[in-house]
Amino acid sequence: MCGIVGAVAERNVVEILLEGLKRLEYRGYDSAGVALLNDEGDLKRIREVGKVRKLTEAVERDGAPGSTGIAHTRWATHGGVTEENAHPHFSSERVAVVHNGIIENYVPLRKSLSSQGYTFTSDTDTETIAHVVHSMLDNGNSLLEAVKKAVTHFTGAYGTVVIDKADPDKMVVARSGSPLVIGLGLGENFVASDQLALLPVTRRFIFLEEGDVAEVTRRTVTIYDKSGERVEREVVESTIEHDAGDKAGYRHYMLKEIYEQPAVIRNTLQDRIDNLHNVDTLFGHGAENILKQVNHIQIIACGTSYHAGMTARYWLEEYAGVSCSVEIASEFRYRKSVVHENSLLVTISQSGETADTLAALRLAKELGYMSALTICNVPGSSLVRESDLAFMTLAGAEIGVASTKAFTTQLTAFLMLTLSIGKFNGLHEETEQKIIRAIKTLPGKIEEALGTAGVIENLAEEFADKHHSLFLGRGAQYPIAMEGALKLKEISYIHAEAYASGELKHGPLALIDEEMPVIVVAPNDELLEKLKSNVEEVRARGGIMYVFADVDAHFESDDTLRVINIPHCEDITAPIVYTVPLQLLSYYVALIKGTDVDQPRNLAKSVTVE
Ligand code: F6R
């Protein structure tokens, strides 16, 4: 969602801020802005609706240099997409603020500030931050004290950076519910909502914790925790590649990330799959003792990550012998649920910052789960820091808004969790070895599945003028059908629904006609014959089908049925392999439709607000 970059230096920081915003573009936004303070104490602001490119042009045209600056990409929540609502927000040309999150009590704050004479020039909740800080400064507080006092007035979530024209060489930052990271330079320091933004200028980071307020000058970073105590936070060396933001010759990040899957699955497996018996190394200190006792697993996630959890349930119950429920985080967090004895909470998240998943984790801690494990792609993220155990997927930075490689590495992680728990629940060694062999072949199988790209690209032509589509799968392929449908709707805007194919005759068959393509995921598993009956049900109603089928499943192409042959793979790894052609399908359909593949409309990469 929204992105923040800030810098305090001896040099002009404009380039750093704009490059940082460019690197955050993938998160989704609708407007952008920058505020700069120069050595004379002049505060200048430039904001634009639309892309960072437009802001850069405006800065080149009208900008002034500055050695302290803050910048922001906004994803509208309160107030429409207008220049007035874009950040930074000012209070009387003195205080400038950028903010991620939502100030929930902004209405009463606005009323009270207006009655004190503060003028609002936007419809945003953020502007209240600027005025509250300003009122604290007027009471004689330093900028640090003003921000510390101001945050006690806010309910909701914020990651915010404040600068003051009267105190130019400093930024004060505060975090509660929205991530912020401080980047450490030599004689200059930075802040951002995501370390990716700062990789061109530093690799040394401090991840702020909930409730932290920090004063950042060129040479110092002073942090106070939520009780106001001065604290030291660990400095972490980033392992993310500097050029993670490059497309490496691909037309879109999404395509690059689809093709990266064999490599990132290899990374995720490396040194781990042969070390499965060392559970504490794989999942974190004390994991063995916890996994040994697990009687039930509750998986919580959103979107694509939720589909990974849905798939994992089939594996955990069948091979690890442990009961498992899966729920969408935004539902879980607002209902009364029963905690089973010795229950492990597993959250899944690419970003590690998804607001609903994080809230569900916090709730689960209160409810008394035995322990909380997260499967996550971002080291140092809130979910990783707040969970007892963590398994890091090594997918590398995922820039395309539509998740691809994060999903398949999450599934790979779940296979390892299945084996690790299975060994305590009597998983037969022969089965274990068979699964390990299958997992090891995964990168190669995905490479083969990528070989279907040409066929799928041609086939995509037939989808581009359709408005609806239906995805079918059975067993562990049902969540894969759901994921295929989600990908198609996200980036091509074609309405797509997924059904477990056994449900067809309980309703969705009524939709079938030649205008509604039906996509069938059909590996050669024990449910194949049942699936074939479902295919006949669709055929009998004049439906046009695209069947992604195992070469040995013996489907024949004809007028109403197109077969896309997928290399043979073991049942347990088939959901991962079949995901890949579905990702390619949505990509090529979106290409034909000319949509913004990497930043689809209305969507954000990291959903840090409810
Ligand atoms: C879809 C997609 C989203 C995310 C969801 C959760 O392509 O990317 O559905 O999966 O917003 O995000 P994370 O995994 O970061 O918690």
Side-chain angles (χ1 to χ4, degrees):
M1 295 198 129
C2 309
I4 287 177
V5 193
V8 49
E10 261 156 33
R11 53 178 164 155
N12 181 7
V13 296
V14 179
E15 293 285 319
I16 298 170
L17 299 180
L18 292 172
E19 174 61 23
L21 288 189
K22 254 171 57 197
R23 290 174 152 256
L24 296 181
E25 280 192 296
Y26 76 99
R27 299 171 73 96
Y29 69 103
D30 44 53
S31 49
V34 57
L36 289 149
L37 259 172
N38 68 15
D39 292 342
E40 282 77 52
D42 298 323
L43 180 61
K44 169 122 188 162
R45 167 174 68 177
I46 299 177
R47 299 176 293 176
E48 287 287 334
V49 168
K51 296 285 179 192
V52 172
R53 192 176 0 98
K54 241 179 116 192
L55 178 70
T56 307
E57 284 162 14
V59 169
E60 279 163 8
R61 205 174 45 239
D62 311 321
S67 52
T68 299
I70 52 177
H72 191 260
T73 43
R74 173 176 188 251
W75 192 81
T77 56
H78 294 61
V81 181
T82 62
E83 191 183 319
E84 291 70 35
N85 289 334
H87 302 209
H89 287 287
F90 278 8
S91 181
S92 309
E93 304 286 324
R94 173 177 175 183
V95 174
V97 168
V98 288
H99 163 228
N100 288 356
I102 293 174
I103 303 299
E104 286 169 359
N105 59 335
Y106 80 104
V107 174
L109 281 175
R110 227 179 138 100
K111 256 195 200 141
S112 139
L113 289 159
S114 299
S115 67
Q116 292 167 48
Y118 289 97
T119 310
F120 282 83
T121 57
S122 78
D123 306 316
T124 64
D125 52 328
T126 300
E127 203 179 348
T128 57
I129 302 180
H131 293 318
V132 174
V133 171
H134 195 174
S135 70
M136 300 297 163
L137 288 169
D138 282 346
N139 290 342
N141 292 294
S142 66
L143 182 60
L144 174 66
E145 286 306 319
V147 174
K148 275 178 153 183
K149 288 184 178 156
V151 295
T152 62
H153 292 261
F154 306 138
T155 55
Y158 52 82
T160 187
V161 187
V162 188
I163 55 174
D164 175 13
K165 186 177 163 160
D167 195 1
D169 297 326
K170 119 184 353 159
M171 309 180 279
V172 174
V173 310
R175 172 201 167 139
S176 179
S178 256
L180 279 181
V181 59
I182 294 173
L184 304 174
L186 290 174
E188 52 189 18
N189 286 314
F190 315 95
V191 63
S193 50
D194 180 332
Q195 56 181 304
L196 264 190
L198 300 177
L199 287 178
V201 283
T202 185
R203 306 198 66 81
R204 296 171 64 235
F205 294 104
I206 296 174
F207 294 92
L208 290 183
E209 299 202 356
E210 284 297 279
D212 282 356
V213 176
E215 183 183 71
V216 182
T217 70
R218 288 172 190 167
R219 288 194 171 70
T220 59
V221 174
T222 323
I223 305 173
Y224 300 84
D225 69 9
K226 58 173 173 268
S227 55
E229 293 296 315
R230 190 149 166 202
V231 282
E232 295 297 324
R233 300 266 180 246
E234 190 190 354
V235 177
V236 179
E237 194 84 24
S238 174
T239 51
I240 299 180
E241 288 163 36
H242 169 57
D243 62 358
D246 283 357
K247 286 190 198 138
Y250 286 92
R251 187 158 166 193
H252 292 100
Y253 286 111
M254 183 180 176
L255 191 62
K256 172 183 171 236
E257 288 159 5
I258 290 174
Y259 275 87
E260 277 174 350
Q261 289 177 110
V264 296
I265 289 179
R266 242 177 236 122
N267 290 348
T268 301
L269 291 174
Q270 192 149 33
D271 302 332
R272 285 163 155 174
I273 192 74
D274 291 323
N275 198 13
L276 273 174
H277 287 273
N278 196 346
V279 172
D280 279 4
T281 324
L282 287 185
F283 297 97
H285 184 63
E288 169 137 8
N289 196 31
I290 289 162
L291 297 190
K292 223 184 235 170
Q293 299 176 58
V294 168
N295 267 343
H296 181 75
I297 294 184
Q298 172 69 61
I299 298 178
I300 301 286
C302 303
T304 289
S305 297
Y306 167 72
H307 296 154
M310 292 267 294
T311 313
R313 184 170 63 125
Y314 289 87
W315 296 333
L316 286 163
E317 296 217 341
E318 178 169 354
Y319 299 102
V322 64
S323 67
C324 175
S325 6
V326 191
E327 191 161 354
I328 295 165
S330 55
E331 285 299 309
F332 177 82
R333 67 179 286 195
Y334 287 118
R335 75 179 183 88
K336 301 261 178 292
S337 58
V338 175
V339 184
H340 298 250
E341 205 187 330
N342 288 352
S343 203
L344 173 71
L345 184 94
V346 179
T347 55
I348 320 156
S349 176
Q350 189 287 125
S351 62
E353 302 293 350
T354 301
D356 284 321
T357 313
L358 199 51
L361 167 66
R362 289 174 185 159
L363 170 70
K365 284 184 169 176
E366 286 167 26
L367 292 177
Y369 277 83
M370 178 171 68
S371 188
L373 162 71
T374 189
I375 293 176
C376 188
N377 195 40
V378 179
S381 60
S382 302
L383 276 173
V384 172
R385 280 185 288 108
E386 294 188 31
S387 299
D388 307 308
L389 305 173
F391 183 99
M392 301 312 302
T393 48
L394 301 177
E398 190 179 65
I399 308 286
V401 164
S403 190
T404 51
K405 60 177 181 170
F407 179 65
T408 47
T409 52
Q410 286 166 349
L411 291 175
T412 308
F414 268 121
L415 285 176
M416 283 188 260
L417 181 66
T418 303
L419 292 171
S420 297
I421 296 181
K423 76 169 181 149
F424 298 120
N425 289 351
L427 175 67
H428 208 277
E429 200 181 325
E430 212 176 294
T431 315
E432 184 198 46
Q433 287 309 314
K434 195 174 164 209
I435 295 173
I436 291 177
R437 276 196 300 277
I439 296 176
K440 283 185 171 172
T441 65
L442 252 177
K445 291 289 172 194
I446 291 180
E447 262 152 27
E448 286 180 52
L450 286 167
T452 58
V455 176
I456 292 172
E457 189 174 2
N458 290 335
L459 189 146
E461 301 275 350
E462 298 173 26
F463 276 76
D465 63 343
K466 298 287 185 282
H467 298 291
H468 307 277
S469 58
L470 190 63
F471 284 68
L472 299 178
R474 292 193 84 120
Q477 296 288 4
Y478 165 44
I480 301 306
M482 294 168 77
E483 174 59 10
L486 178 64
K487 284 292 90 85
L488 189 69
K489 67 186 129 190
E490 270 183 302
I491 63 165
S492 76
Y493 315 148
I494 293 176
H495 170 222
E497 276 198 71
Y499 269 91
S501 32
E503 275 290 290
L504 256 187
K505 50 173 99 58
H506 300 290
L509 257 189
L511 294 170
I512 303 297
D513 64 17
E514 64 280 7
E515 286 308 310
M516 175 107 166
V518 179
I519 296 93
V520 186
V521 191
N524 190 11
D525 61 16
E526 59 182 20
L527 293 172
L528 179 64
E529 291 313 315
K530 304 247 176 254
L531 192 81
K532 282 186 169 172
S533 312
N534 302 135
V535 165
E536 290 313 316
E537 287 163 8
V538 175
R539 195 202 294 274
R541 273 108 193 143
I544 309 289
M545 276 169 294
Y546 299 86
V547 183
F548 292 81
D550 188 289
V551 277
D552 297 329
H554 305 298
F555 280 98
E556 300 273 323
S557 288
D558 60 29
D559 287 353
T560 57
L561 189 144
R562 296 281 221 97
V563 181
I564 302 96
N565 277 325
I566 306 299
H568 177 71
C569 48
E570 294 296 329
D571 288 358
I572 191 157
T573 48
I576 306 181
V577 177
Y578 279 68
T579 297
V580 175
L582 297 183
Q583 294 168 343
L584 288 168
L585 177 68
S586 57
Y587 175 76
Y588 286 116
V589 174
L591 260 197
I592 295 168
K593 295 202 72 180
T595 57
D596 190 345
V597 171
D598 285 329
Q599 289 168 38
R601 68 185 182 200
N602 307 336
L603 298 180
K605 181 69 185 161
S606 181
V607 185
T608 48
V609 294
E610 248 191 286

